[in-house]
């Protein structure tokens, strides 16, 4: 049994786990930095413990300090949320060694599936399609050139230990590969402490589609897919469930492949398998697995009715997977808009500040995941995500219309956000038709720059 759950994260995901824990009768204990002492998650938790100064390396990433805090509060289990230590095999192993449950997969699975090159090889073993490229990390430039010669250009150079869109470069030809490979290795070493890279075929107009799974170590199920193609600098901005690109046959094949891979590794907990989908050929290719809950999980919950965070906690306390695959049904359409404290009019420059006025949209099919409240001051030390606006309706067209209405009602005074960008996106004709790929948003931003104050209509 889990009686006392330590939540090692911040912002909306910490609050999300607090609520799920309370519904299951668990005592929620939020571990927070000094900068987050007045956060909504801290206010809503049953108990709290400070784990250090604002710098993440001295608090949310400090394994030794976190384990001592867990011991001090007599925690039975640790939920890492997303980001920070959520995909750290070292942390998962240390939590277990300290006699607590880690809410997530075993450290060995995090290592295997968190390493992009190893995950690729594992997918091949499970007969899941992967993007043509090097079967494993390349050792040197000669090996990289041989792989590229056999498969062709353009190639993606990807960090084996990478994630979050970092450590990725495109090589259009052999000369570019010679130039980019050492740079990619240096970047990977700096960002991840691991300079291994591997190569993949570059699919120019690919969609980014991911499949949500749950597993209990023996059996796994899928909860359908999410479309995450609207990205800026390889960071997701807008997601929807299901994908507008897939027909039923392709969807079934894609989701079954995700279950096959999850069962192949004996996956435990909630996880997401990410794919590239080629609109031209209709092919899909596994690219990586996230061994944690995803930022965009609420749209899957909206469409399937399954509380993913609560299921993670049920599995962690020893329950078996409660659902058979046929129990999981889709109903309607959901979209998620990530609202960041960034100013699109200033090149998406971070704009932390204090919330002076806050009005959330309301009505059927609208959900807000956020830690904001009036008077709250955004700390400048962490990710710029301040809210997730999740909208559900019976079909995609209705969901986008409702999203526009919700954005019209949303008011936040005190600092700039990306809400206005989303308002423009949901009205865009191509977005309405679902004709997007991973490069769409950046092309769209270049072609339709954010209006400056002088360009906007002035109402006197």
């Amino acid at each position: 049994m889990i009686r006392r759950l330590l939540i090692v994260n911040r912002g909306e995901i910490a609050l999300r786990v607090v609520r799920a824990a309370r519904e299951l009768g668990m005592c929620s204990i939020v571990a927070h930095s000094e900068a987050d002492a007045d956060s909504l998650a801290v206010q809503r938790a049953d108990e709290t413990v400070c784990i250090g100064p604002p710098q993440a390396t001295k608090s949310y990433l400090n394994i030794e300090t976190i384990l001592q805090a867990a011991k001090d509060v007599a925690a039975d289990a640790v939920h890492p949320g997303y980001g920070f230590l959520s995909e750290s095999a070292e942390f998962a192993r240390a939590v277990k060694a300290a006699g607590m449950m880690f809410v997530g997969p075993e450290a060995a699975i995090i290592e295997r599936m968190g390493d992009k090159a190893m995950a690729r090889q594992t997918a091949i073993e499970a007969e899941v399609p992967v993007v043509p490229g090097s079967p494993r990390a390349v050792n040197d430039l000669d090996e990289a050139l041989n792989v590229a010669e056999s498969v062709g250009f353009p190639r993606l150079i990807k960090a084996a230990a990478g994630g979050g869109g970092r450590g990725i470069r495109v090589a259009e030809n052999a000369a570019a590969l010679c130039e980019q490979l050492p740079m990619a290795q240096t970047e990977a070493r700096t960002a991840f402490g691991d300079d291994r890279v591997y190569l993949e075929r570059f699919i120019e107009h690919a969609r980014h589609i991911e499949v949500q799974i749950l597993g209990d170590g023996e059996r796994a199920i899928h909860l359908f897919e999410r479309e995450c193609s609207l990205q800026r600098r390889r960071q997701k901005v807008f997601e929807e469930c299901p994908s507008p690109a897939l027909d039923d046959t392709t969807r079934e094949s894609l989701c079954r492949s995700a279950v096959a891979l999850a069962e192949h590794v004996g996956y435990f907990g909630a996880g997401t398998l990410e794919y590239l989908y080629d609109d031209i050929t209709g092919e899909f290719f596994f690219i990586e697995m996230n061994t944690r809950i995803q930022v965009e999980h609420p749209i899957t919950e909206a469409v399937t009715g399954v509380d993913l965070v609560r299921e993670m906690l049920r599995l962690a306390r020893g329950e078996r997977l409660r659902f058979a695959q046929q129990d999981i049904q889709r109903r309607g359409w959901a979209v998620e808009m990530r609202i960041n404290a960034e100013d699109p009019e200033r090149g998406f420059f971070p704009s932390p500040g204090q919330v002076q006025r806050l009005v959330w949209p309301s009505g059927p099919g609208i959900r807000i995941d956020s830690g904001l409240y009036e008077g709250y001051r955004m700390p400048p030390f962490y990710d710029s995500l301040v809210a997730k606006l999740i909208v559900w309706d019976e079909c995609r067209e209705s969901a986008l219309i409702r999203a526009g209405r919700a954005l019209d009602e949303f008011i936040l005074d005190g600092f700039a956000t990306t809400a206005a960008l989303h308002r423009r996106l949901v009205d865009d004709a191509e977005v309405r038709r679902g004709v997007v790929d991973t490069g769409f948003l950046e092309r769209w931003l270049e072609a339709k720059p954010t209006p400056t104050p002088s360009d906007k209509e002035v109402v006197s």
Side-chain angles (χ1 to χ4, degrees), residues 112-132 134-136 198 200 256-265 273-275 284-289:
R112 184 177 184 181
M113 301 309 291
D115 182 292
K116 304 302 183 284
M118 289 179 63
R120 176 186 173 86
Q121 185 58 40
T122 301
I124 294 171
E125 294 169 2
E127 299 183 346
V128 172
V130 299
V131 182
S134 57
R136 59 189 64 83
Y198 65 102
E200 285 183 349
R256 282 189 180 277
S257 78
V259 171
L261 184 49
E263 291 185 339
H264 179 75
V265 300
L273 291 93
E274 304 199 354
Y275 294 78
F284 59 82
F285 305 101
F286 168 79
I287 51 173
E288 64 184 58
M289 183 175 191

Side-chain angles (χ1 to χ4, degrees), residues 14-245:
L15 183 60
R16 175 77 180 84
V17 181
V18 164
R19 288 167 169 160
R22 181 162 297 155
E23 290 170 6
L24 292 174
M26 300 175 185
C27 175
S28 61
I29 310 164
V30 168
H32 65 89
S33 73
E34 293 170 357
D36 284 327
D38 61 347
S39 70
L40 198 56
V42 167
Q43 295 177 35
R44 295 286 186 267
D46 296 309
E47 298 179 23
T48 65
V49 57
C50 184
I51 53 173
Q55 298 93 325
T57 54
K58 297 179 180 180
S59 52
Y60 296 110
L61 295 173
N62 190 326
I63 294 177
E64 183 178 351
T65 299
I66 292 167
L67 291 179
Q68 183 59 53
K71 180 180 179 181
D72 292 344
V73 300
D76 304 312
V78 175
H79 196 305
Y82 54 68
F84 294 126
L85 293 171
S86 62
E87 293 182 282
S88 167
E90 178 188 0
F91 183 53
R93 192 172 284 116
V95 168
K96 186 174 182 180
M100 294 173 289
M101 285 169 276
F102 179 79
V103 183
E106 293 286 333
I109 293 178
I110 295 176
E111 285 178 331
R112 184 177 184 181
M113 301 309 291
D115 182 292
K116 304 302 183 284
M118 289 179 63
R120 176 186 173 86
Q121 185 58 40
T122 301
I124 294 171
E125 294 169 2
E127 299 183 346
V128 172
V130 299
V131 182
S134 57
R136 59 189 64 83
V138 294
N139 294 315
D140 51 38
L141 181 58
D142 287 340
E143 184 178 358
L145 287 169
N146 287 335
V147 170
E149 183 178 342
S150 65
V151 183
F153 288 96
R155 311 300 304 163
L156 272 182
I157 308 169
K158 303 181 73 173
R166 295 178 297 168
I168 299 176
R169 290 175 176 267
V170 179
E172 298 286 350
N173 50 47
L177 181 59
C178 293
E179 178 184 352
Q180 296 281 355
L181 185 70
M183 296 169 66
Q185 291 171 322
T186 300
E187 184 178 317
R189 188 185 309 113
T190 301
F192 308 110
D194 184 341
D195 66 359
R196 293 175 305 126
V197 298
Y198 65 102
L199 305 183
E200 285 183 349
R201 186 179 92 197
F202 177 55
I203 303 172
E204 187 172 3
H205 294 295
R207 288 178 181 264
H208 185 143
I209 298 176
E210 61 188 27
V211 179
Q212 176 70 56
I213 60 101
L214 284 172
D216 62 11
E218 296 181 5
R219 188 171 63 86
I221 60 168
H222 70 78
L223 294 94
F224 298 101
E225 83 285 357
R226 297 184 288 256
E227 170 93 39
C228 307
S229 297
L230 287 176
Q231 304 177 9
R232 177 179 172 269
R233 296 183 176 177
R234 298 193 174 94
Q235 299 295 309
K236 299 168 187 173
V237 172
F238 178 105
E239 302 98 350
E240 58 185 304
C241 176
S243 167

Side-chain angles (χ1 to χ4, degrees), residues 297-372:
H297 75 272
I299 52 175
T300 296
E301 294 179 329
V303 168
T304 64
V306 176
D307 186 322
L308 292 169
V309 177
R310 203 161 60 188
E311 292 308 312
M312 291 180 75
L313 294 172
R314 289 182 188 277
L315 290 165
R317 72 180 183 185
E319 296 184 29
R320 308 303 294 178
L321 191 59
R322 300 190 307 136
F323 304 101
Q325 188 60 65
Q326 60 265 29
D327 297 329
I328 308 300
Q329 301 293 324
R330 287 185 297 118
R331 176 175 172 268
W333 209 284
V335 299
E336 176 182 281
M337 292 150 284
R338 300 191 188 195
I339 298 176
N340 295 334
E342 298 172 350
D343 189 349
E345 295 182 9
R346 301 173 60 207
F348 292 88
F349 194 78
S351 64
Q354 187 171 24
V355 180
Q356 306 293 338
R357 183 185 177 208
L358 180 61
V359 178
W360 293 121
S362 61
I366 293 176
R367 166 178 165 180
I368 308 293
D369 281 17
S370 176
L372 294 183

